[in-house]
Amino acid sequence: MPDSHQAMLTFLQQVVNGLSLGSIYALIALGYTMVYGVLRLINFAHGDVFMVGSYIAFYVAGAMFNAHVDNWYAGAAAFAAATIGCGIMGVIIECLAYKPVRNAPKLTPLITAIGVSLLIENVAVLKGVFGPDPQFCKPILPSDGKLVHFYGISEPVDSLLLIAFTVVLLFILWFIVTRTKVGKAMRAVSQDKDAASLMGININNIISFTFFLGSALAGSAGFLFAALTHVQINAYLGIPLGLKAFTAAVLGGIGNIPGAALGGLIMGLAEAMVEGYGSLIHIPPSYSDAVSFVVLIVILLVRPSGLLGKAGVEKV
Amino acid sequence: MLRRSIFAIVLIGVLLGLNYLVSTQIDSYYISVILHAGIFVILAVSLNLVNGFTGQFSLGQAGFYGIGAYAAAALTTYGQITVFRHWFNADGSISWWLGSVLLVLAMLLGGIVAAVAGILVGLPSLKLKGDYLAIVTLGLNQIIVVVLNNIDKLGGPRGFSTIYPPNLDPITIPPLSSFFWVYLMAAIVIIVSINIRYSVHGLAFMAIREDEVAAEAMGIPTTKYKITAFVLSAFFAGVAGALFAHTECLITPNEFNFVISINIVVMVVLGGMGSVSGTAIGAVLLTVLPEVLRGSFADYRLVVYAALLIILMLVRPRGIFGHEELSFEWLRGQLKGIQTLPARLRHLGAGRLSPSEDKLK
């Protein structure tokens, strides 16, 4: 096999790695960006909702296996449980912690969100809940470890499945936001809360629905992470992934839904490329964590409101 | 001038007296909690210059803290085999006055290196606003942590405490810090902050916080003041880092990651953004609280801590002090507030705490 062909294959491999990592970032980033759109709040607890989602998937799938249910059904049940469970969790968080401070100064809800995040992590790490030990998810889907071959390229089925899942979820989200009445209401609330309420939109319901949708996406990302990435899960999983996802949301222009998806994919690709090729330009792989932030800073200095964000015009 | 000199002498005297009491009477665990509280007072009050006074949302204070700590620790360890070789006795100890001079030099170096980094971080603030600035400062903080993790001369991920020069005994970070130095620097940062608050510069900072466009229209050089706030804040954070390095004598990059930055922001907001005494009290409260909870709640202490944080923010959305400073009038107002508490709590479910909250804006 000629060298250039081999190099091409390695490159494609890195692209798939980047896209599958980026898919997780994108799904979490969407929750950040939607909540920011309606409330102008950085929901720090969002990464922890993702963590809870991965644990729900882990436990439900484990219970199903013990009951000798077929793999695909077990996967479907774990997916449904993680998605719906996290959605409901998001609504409860909004109702108890964010609603009372909605009209307070801007940073108050932020600190409350940090408090909620700490609360979820520290409850999760207790012995009776998820426990302090990291868990290694058993292969939920039968695709585990298999490779798919085409045109001389071998890719793990799991990565491709992860990307396909994300595309489907993004399509569903796109449909809800642009083609349904509740989606129209969401867009109206994020444009102007007061005017939307004058048009007869129930702001509280729409905000709750936004939290449900965002947290459900985080839950499904949790399922995908636990089922398909072969990385162990622990109670503090939400911190690094939430941070990267939030960075992705800002990169795409926070509040902008396509921007969050794009930002997530860019972050994933950038990290995979540095891990794969960084050593060629004397950047060791240990710097891959910093790369996403360097990309972010460079892009923000060129486009101060993100890739797809609209620059706000300041009226005096 | 005379009044100031007397104040300075009294302050130093009191601190020296307390230093003696603390070092002879108190258990070392409590000393460590007290020193940490002091270091976080420096960090929170200095961050308040940027977040509270100038209204720029910075989430990267721990980055400056880390830079200061590593720069200072590098000076006092690598200095022992070069410039300050003769200051140390054969057994590695150092006389108290040379130690003090060395600590002051280390604090200055830590502060200056951090201040230079502050210029770098302050520059994006000229272009970015609000949450975008927050994530960029947070990103720079993480970049600093990753870089520190990759400097092998400074220990890398293992942490930095000892160097092994060839043909010599291993050299550790000397424990130069003490109650006196930590609280002297805390007092200085508080005094500087309060002086700024009631000066023309402070008014300029606050004008930028309230409305940047209007401030610029009034002829305030907003660029200059924003950079000044960042540099001053970073300098004190670097000093805090130097003190931390010489208190613990072991520093690891993860002690300076964004989680610590968020902690410092929480101290500022909980104490009251823009209130110097508020942030200082917030810092002490949030450092001491988890330690106090250790006794009675053990495993559940961080759960209780997080729950208390949420409850405090729900009950006092403007922080403990708001924009106010600690004073007798403030205490009197609080007593009145407590009497009307039941009435205000009834509004809690309605999405706001007090019926007048909206009108205030």
Side-chain angles (χ1 to χ4, degrees), chain B residues 112-149:
Chain B
I112 289 168
V113 175
V116 173
I119 298 178
L120 291 179
V121 179
L123 286 175
S125 80
L126 306 174
K127 222 177 156 181
L128 301 170
K129 292 215 163 63
D131 300 314
Y132 289 97
L133 177 64
I135 187 72
V136 164
T137 48
L138 195 160
L140 285 166
N141 185 348
Q142 283 308 86
I143 291 173
I144 291 170
V145 171
V146 171
V147 171
L148 288 177
N149 260 321

Side-chain angles (χ1 to χ4, degrees), chain A residues 29-104:
Chain A
L30 285 166
Y32 277 108
T33 229
M34 286 197 288
V35 166
Y36 190 90
V38 294
L39 280 187
R40 299 285 176 271
L41 161 73
I42 303 172
N43 182 10
F44 264 98
H46 192 64
D48 301 295
V49 173
F50 159 80
M51 178 273 293
V52 172
S54 64
Y55 266 100
I56 293 179
F58 169 74
Y59 282 119
V60 170
M64 288 278 170
F65 287 145
N66 288 343
H68 302 292
V69 180
D70 182 65
N71 269 26
W72 288 107
Y73 290 124
F79 174 74
T83 308
I84 295 171
C86 285
I88 293 171
M89 186 179 168
V91 173
I92 294 173
I93 292 174
E94 194 273 330
C95 186
L96 292 183
Y98 300 154
K99 202 180 269 178
V101 287
R102 204 178 283 166
N103 294 316

Side-chain angles (χ1 to χ4, degrees), chain B residues 182-199:
Chain B
V182 170
Y183 280 85
L184 181 69
M185 293 320 292
I188 288 176
V189 69
I190 288 173
I191 292 167
V192 167
S193 287
I194 287 181
N195 279 346
I196 286 179
R197 184 183 172 137
Y198 294 110
S199 73

Side-chain angles (χ1 to χ4, degrees), chain B residues 194-276:
Chain B
I194 287 181
N195 279 346
I196 286 179
R197 184 183 172 137
Y198 294 110
S199 73
V200 170
H201 304 293
L203 291 175
F205 284 151
M206 282 179 247
I208 294 172
R209 175 183 74 198
E210 298 301 332
D211 190 330
E212 205 178 317
V213 178
E216 191 137 21
M218 290 293 121
I220 292 169
T222 51
T223 304
K224 185 185 122 189
Y225 276 111
K226 279 201 262 181
I227 296 277
T228 311
F230 266 101
V231 168
L232 206 57
S233 167
F235 176 83
F236 281 115
V239 170
L243 286 166
F244 178 74
H246 294 93
T247 308
E248 294 286 303
C249 302
L250 165 65
I251 46 180
T252 50
N254 272 339
E255 281 169 304
F256 309 106
N257 70 9
F258 75 101
V259 177
I260 306 297
S261 287
I262 290 178
N263 258 346
I264 303 170
V265 171
V266 172
M267 288 167 185
V268 172
V269 178
L270 185 86
M273 290 255 288
S275 162
V276 178

